[in-house]
């Protein structure tokens, strides 16, 4: 029984590296899709790992690197939050826009907004108008 556990345990090649990154985030940062997927299969909770210095998730890091394969892999996993915000209050979509990763922007936009989402017209003054509350004086 002990032998089976040893065989199934995976030691990541990124385990001993620094920068405040988990082995999973290191694999994502290095665009190592195979290693990232292997770590996910052995430690599913790693999708919630956060880079301590910037509060960046794996999706933030993959978006910044423009790795569309890792972005799509992550978006397919239930529990990965495309709305997560880093220390600078940016989402993965905003980071992809800033660094100009067009294919990543498209994938994140589709994941962030539902299919029937309509971009509101900023000139339409009747749309989503909330009445002011009555004064309580």
């Amino acid at each position: 029984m002990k032998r089976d556990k040893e065989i199934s345990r995976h030691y990541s090649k990124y385990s001993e590296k620094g920068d405040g990154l988990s082995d999973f985030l290191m694999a994502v940062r290095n665009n190592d899709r195979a290693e990232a997927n292997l770590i996910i299969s052995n430690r599913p909770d790693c999708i919630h790992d956060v880079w301590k210095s910037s509060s960046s998730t794996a999706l933030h890091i993959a978006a910044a690197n423009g790795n569309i394969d890792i972005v799509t892999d992550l978006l397919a996993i239930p529990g990965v939050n495309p709305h997560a915000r880093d220390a600078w209050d940016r989402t993965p979509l905003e980071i992809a826009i800033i660094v100009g990763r067009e294919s990543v922007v498209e994938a994140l936009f589709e994941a962030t907004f539902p299919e029937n989402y309509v971009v509101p017209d900023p000139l339409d003054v009747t749309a989503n108008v909330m009445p002011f509350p009555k004064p309580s004086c």
Side-chain angles (χ1 to χ4, degrees), residues 33 66-74:
R33 182 183 188 192
N67 192 317
I68 186 64
D69 295 329
I70 292 180
V71 167
T72 54
D73 289 350
L74 289 171

Side-chain angles (χ1 to χ4, degrees), residues 10 53 129:
H10 171 70
S53 65
V129 175

Side-chain angles (χ1 to χ4, degrees), residues 4-32:
D4 292 338
K5 287 182 182 177
E6 288 176 14
I7 291 171
S8 66
R9 189 179 304 148
H10 171 70
Y11 293 99
S12 170
K13 60 185 172 185
Y14 300 110
S15 296
E16 301 300 320
K17 306 284 191 297
D19 291 343
L21 293 172
S22 66
D23 55 348
F24 172 62
L25 294 178
M26 285 289 290
V28 171
R29 185 174 86 171
N30 291 323
N31 294 325
D32 191 341

Side-chain angles (χ1 to χ4, degrees), residues 28-101:
V28 171
R29 185 174 86 171
N30 291 323
N31 294 325
D32 191 341
R33 182 183 188 192
E35 185 72 11
N37 286 328
L38 187 58
I39 294 168
I40 290 169
S41 67
N42 285 293
R43 191 170 56 91
D45 65 326
C46 73
I47 62 168
H48 302 293
D49 289 357
V50 175
W51 190 352
K52 291 175 185 152
S53 65
S54 66
S55 300
S56 297
T57 65
L59 204 51
H60 284 95
I61 296 167
N65 289 341
N67 192 317
I68 186 64
D69 295 329
I70 292 180
V71 167
T72 54
D73 289 350
L74 289 171
L75 290 173
I77 299 170
V80 171
N81 182 5
H83 304 283
R85 296 199 171 267
D86 64 10
W88 298 276
D89 203 35
R90 297 177 305 195
T91 65
L93 175 60
E94 291 168 329
I95 290 174
I97 291 169
I98 290 167
V99 296
R101 309 294 189 178

